[in-house]
Amino acid sequence: MVIWQPMNIQSSFDADVRSTDRSSGGYEWWYFDAMTDDDRYSIVVIFYEGNPFSTRYNQRLMDGDEPLPDDYPAISISVYEQNNPIYYSFTEFDASDCTFSVGHPEVAVGPHSMKGSEEDGKLCYWLQLDEQLPSGDALQAKLQFESTKSEIFSAENPKEGGHLWNLVQPRAEVTGTVQLSQDKSETNNIAFEGTGYHDHNTGREPMQEEFSDWYWGRFHFNYGTLVYYVMNRHQTEQHKAWLMSPDSGKILQTYHDID
């Protein structure tokens, strides 16, 4: 029987590392998104260990085995132009081709990598992506996410079970390049300048055993960033939202009940 635990929320660069709890059915992901200042292009990149959407992982769990998240790393990459998808991939890798650091924010999934650093209250994350799909489509990208260090939330019991949501960069300045090659001929070079977001999620049990559904989102405005979640769990509901200052230094308004 699953014992309900409230979701823990924190904002911690130091905790933006691989969890040391390697429970069977557990999962972990590092999420990044960004949109250009002219709203033309957007990108979403997610690094997974214990990919909760892996059919192989879920089948073993349904068969009564005890697979570990270590064996199911993956990455998903989505690029949109004017809200229309122009590139998508969701690729699983062998564990031997991936590394997840427990000491500092650093992940490598196949040829893709993420690394974070902190200096003088500033956070910087570098993403490097290099992918060639069987269809002939290819993507190369170098992106940098910069922000002030956010300490908005402090988890009460981050090691006592339940889902852990680490809101590391509610708002970041994003610069870099994205190169798309489609049909082995057409190339689209995107000079990326815009606003982004980064968080880190950790679960210690199969997702379907804890959630019936879960909706999440964020909106960037000139005067701040609104982050919300609508989490419908099997035992209860958690619906909250926060309006944060543009530099993510403080919460301007908390909404305790949203639809």
Side-chain angles (χ1 to χ4, degrees):
M1 182 181 72
V2 176
I3 300 175
W4 178 77
Q5 296 279 356
M7 183 178 75
N8 269 297
I9 308 174
Q10 65 178 347
S11 301
S12 172
F13 173 79
D14 293 334
D16 198 20
V17 297
R18 182 198 201 197
S19 170
T20 55
D21 184 345
R22 317 308 298 159
S23 303
S24 179
Y27 56 89
E28 192 160 14
W29 70 72
W30 291 259
Y31 173 99
F32 295 84
D33 73 34
M35 177 175 285
T36 55
D37 288 333
D38 61 4
D39 296 336
R40 180 175 180 179
Y41 292 102
S42 56
I43 186 169
V44 177
V45 182
I46 313 175
F47 298 85
Y48 297 88
E49 188 177 29
N51 173 16
F53 309 107
S54 169
T55 56
R56 297 181 300 114
Y57 193 16
N58 291 322
Q59 186 60 56
R60 287 196 61 193
L61 290 167
M62 288 189 291
D63 290 343
D65 297 334
E66 294 187 354
L68 296 178
D70 313 49
D71 294 326
Y72 300 92
I75 188 172
S76 65
I77 304 171
S78 303
V79 182
Y80 303 86
E81 182 176 8
Q82 297 177 335
N83 296 320
N84 295 310
I86 57 174
Y87 184 92
Y88 175 76
S89 66
F90 202 142
T91 310
E92 294 187 279
F93 288 86
D94 291 333
S96 59
D97 294 326
C98 306
T99 57
F100 297 85
S101 173
V102 299
H104 50 275
E106 187 168 3
V107 169
V109 176
H112 313 288
S113 63
M114 173 278 286
K115 185 175 182 180
S117 70
E118 175 192 358
E119 185 174 351
D120 298 327
K122 298 288 185 179
L123 302 184
C124 188
Y125 283 80
W126 294 271
L127 274 62
Q128 186 157 329
L129 311 173
D130 188 358
E131 186 164 62
Q132 178 78 47
L133 299 180
S135 64
D137 290 356
L139 177 145
Q140 289 81 37
K142 292 183 179 181
L143 295 171
Q144 181 172 299
F145 286 64
E146 289 187 328
S147 71
T148 57
K149 185 178 181 180
S150 173
E151 297 180 342
I152 294 174
F153 299 107
S154 177
E156 295 180 0
N157 300 297
K159 297 182 180 179
E160 291 190 6
H163 187 93
L164 178 61
W165 180 24
N166 189 0
L167 196 59
V168 185
Q169 288 183 308
R171 187 182 187 119
E173 294 183 3
V174 183
T175 56
T177 59
V178 177
Q179 183 182 81
L180 295 176
S181 300
Q182 298 174 305
D183 299 326
K184 299 181 179 181
S185 57
E186 182 180 353
T187 300
N188 187 2
N189 293 301
I190 304 168
F192 209 101
E193 291 188 10
T195 304
Y197 168 98
H198 163 50
D199 70 19
H200 177 187
N201 285 261
T202 304
R204 297 175 174 88
E205 59 194 7
M207 185 179 290
Q208 65 271 18
E209 293 186 12
E210 187 172 5
F211 305 111
S212 55
D213 53 33
W214 176 17
Y215 305 91
W216 163 92
R218 90 288 174 276
F219 297 93
H220 297 301
F221 306 105
N222 291 335
Y223 55 85
T225 292
L226 180 73
V227 178
Y228 73 89
Y229 72 81
V230 176
M231 187 172 291
N232 298 317
R233 313 175 80 139
H234 296 306
Q235 294 88 350
T236 188
E237 296 179 348
Q238 290 179 286
H239 298 181
K240 277 194 174 184
W242 302 268
L243 180 63
M244 305 173 187
S245 62
D247 62 1
S248 301
K250 64 179 180 178
I251 295 176
L252 304 176
Q253 182 71 45
T254 299
Y255 305 91
H256 293 282
D257 189 12
I258 61 174
D259 296 322

